[in-house]
Every structure is written in structure tokens, then in C-alpha cells.
Amino acid sequence: MTNLVKNTKLVTLAALLAFGAASQASAASITFGGQIATDGSGVTSSRIDASNQITAATVSNGYFVETFDSATAYPIGAGGDTQYNIAGSSTGCQVNSPLGISPSALGVVGVRNDSVPNVAAAPAGDSTCYAYTTPETIGTDSFVDIDYSTFLTNIGSVETSLIGAKINYLGFYWGSVDTYNSFEFYSGSTLVASISGTALLAEFNGTSGNQTSPASNTYVNLDFSDSEAFDNFKVISSGIAGEFDNIVVGLKVPAPASLAFLGLGLLGLGLGKRFKK
């Protein structure tokens, strides 16, 4: 299993733009690599416990995980959604909070825990539930939109310490990367970053659609600046299929304005003492 974990690799801003990021200047950074998940789901973010379980400590640290398994449900938004389950292939599967999916058309997105040729393949080492998207028409892009805006609005009702939080980290396990897959990351309707399967495979010399190689089954980490205010992303595919699992969201609570002014005041005092003769 250890061969599933790639060494973390930092992609600079220039390289990020080469991955197809938005044309405007961006402070987002992308790294690759994670840790072996102990729940049998392959690879997960190294920023949470390897069990993928949402605990009080995980929440207080501002991290949430979507594994598409009922075991990781958390009471925010419309958790426990089984409408995307596949009959006979989704035992123990469901879409949990925090996650909002659109469009709701069945077939464009599914959740399952097996691999079926010409339908979907579980990410390498993943024997649990995962999500995938397939196009309504092969050769034409279809997408699933994963929107955290409602989650951000509601988070304060269950964890008061996170009131006003913004997403500054997103991680996900991208399975059997294909040249016709891509991910786009947005702040509202503004594109702030994107990754194409073609570019990722070229970066690691991977083979399109390979279901076992770590060069084609990669954990992706994105860190966003405060100004980017990331809140939703699209998984896009024009072929069979775009598979993903173990979405991890990290939150940052903005410092209260009063503390910011206090900091500036203390800085001014320090400078006054420094230059006083």
C-alpha cells in the first residue's frame, strides 16, 4: 500500500497556471501526496487523522471530510443523501455534509463501492464508497458542482468557533486520472484555479485511466489565500469516468477587526520605542 503515497510536491504559481488555472493572478498553491487511509479508502489528506473520521478535535481544528460513506456523516446541510447510490453497488454509501451537489440529474454523478468496466473504477486501494461523474453524451463535457456556500453559512450553528470561517484548504483523492477529466475551483462564479488530467499525467508521467499506479491515482491539495474565498468546485468529464474520494475541507476564521486594529496599535508602539532617542 505504501506505493500509493507520492512524495508531496509543490507546484509554483507559474506551474499552477500551466495546469490551466484562471488567467488572473492567483496565490493558490497545489501540492500532491497524502497518507494511507486506515479505513480502506486508499489515500487521504495528511492534515487529518488517517481514519477519516470526523471527531470533535477534527471539527475544532476546522477540518471536515466527505468519504461518501455513511460512517462519516456530520449534521450540517442535507447530509445522508442516498439518491446518487447505485442499486446493488452502494452498500453503506451516501452523500454526507458538507456537500451540495448540482445538477441533480441521476447518471451524471453516482456513488458506489465497486468497480465495473466501462462504468467506473474505484481509486487505487479504495475498497470503500467513492463518487464519480460521467457525461450524458460521450465526448461532451458534463460536470458535478460541489458547492460549500450553504455549509459555510450554517457552520456556526454547530461550531461557534468557526463563525465567519472561509475555506483555505481543499484536498481530494483523484482516481485513475484520465486526459478528459478536470477540476475547476471557484469563488462564487469566478474561476480561481483548475487542474486538467492531461497536465497532471504529464507532471508524473502517468498513464491515462491507469487504475493502480500512483502516477495516475493522486491525492491533490490546494491552499487558497483569503482573497480567493474559494467556495465551490466542478468535477468535469467528457468520458467514462471522473472518480474522486476523501474530500477534505480546511477552514480559517478571519481575525476580528478589533484584534487587527490592536495589532496595528501595538506595532505602532513598538516602532515608536525603536526610533525614540
Side-chain angles (χ1 to χ4, degrees):
M1 289 291 289
T2 54
N3 65 338
L4 292 177
V5 182
K6 293 193 69 63
N7 291 330
T8 298
K9 182 172 183 178
L10 178 65
V11 177
T12 64
L13 177 58
L16 177 60
L17 294 175
F19 269 90
S23 58
Q24 69 268 26
S26 171
S29 64
I30 301 177
T31 58
F32 301 97
Q35 62 178 328
I36 296 295
T38 58
D39 64 351
S41 61
V43 183
T44 192
S45 173
S46 59
R47 306 192 190 191
I48 62 169
D49 187 87
S51 69
N52 273 331
Q53 294 297 306
I54 296 180
T55 65
T58 306
V59 173
S60 64
N61 288 330
Y63 287 100
F64 293 83
V65 58
E66 168 62 72
T67 67
F68 304 103
D69 296 281
S70 56
T72 54
Y74 195 79
I76 304 175
D81 189 351
T82 60
Q83 68 169 311
Y84 302 100
N85 286 10
I86 309 302
S89 296
S90 301
T91 302
C93 302
Q94 67 182 31
V95 172
N96 301 306
S97 301
L99 186 67
I101 289 183
S102 65
S104 59
L106 301 179
V108 174
V109 59
V111 176
R112 64 191 310 139
N113 59 7
D114 60 4
S115 297
V116 176
N118 298 315
V119 176
D126 193 344
S127 60
T128 66
C129 301
Y130 65 96
Y132 64 99
T133 183
T134 56
E136 295 176 281
T137 302
I138 299 299
T140 302
D141 282 344
S142 287
F143 66 88
V144 53
D145 183 30
I146 301 178
D147 188 347
Y148 289 97
S149 56
T150 300
F151 164 72
L152 291 170
T153 299
N154 295 336
I155 184 63
S157 65
V158 294
E159 183 62 37
T160 56
S161 66
L162 295 175
I163 292 175
K166 294 182 178 181
I167 297 175
N168 66 352
Y169 168 77
L170 177 75
F172 61 94
Y173 188 24
W174 192 349
S176 55
V177 179
D178 292 294
T179 55
Y180 47 75
N181 301 152
S182 61
F183 285 73
E184 294 182 345
F185 307 91
Y186 291 83
S187 171
S189 60
T190 301
L191 180 67
V192 295
S194 65
I195 308 174
S196 72
T198 298
L200 188 147
L201 292 168
E203 182 75 13
F204 294 117
N205 197 28
T207 303
S208 181
N210 190 301
Q211 299 174 17
T212 58
S213 170
S216 307
N217 294 262
T218 305
Y219 201 86
V220 182
N221 308 278
L222 292 98
D223 288 279
F224 299 93
S225 68
D226 291 343
S227 62
E228 285 161 329
F230 161 78
D231 58 18
N232 70 96
F233 71 97
K234 289 180 171 65
V235 186
I236 304 168
S237 185
S238 61
I240 303 173
E243 299 94 346
F244 54 101
D245 199 2
N246 294 345
I247 301 173
V248 175
V249 170
L251 303 176
K252 177 183 178 182
V253 180
S258 58
L259 290 181
F261 282 119
L262 176 61
L264 289 173
L266 292 175
L267 177 61
L269 287 175
L271 288 175
K273 289 183 178 179
R274 179 180 176 183
F275 290 106
K276 185 177 180 181
K277 298 295 184 180

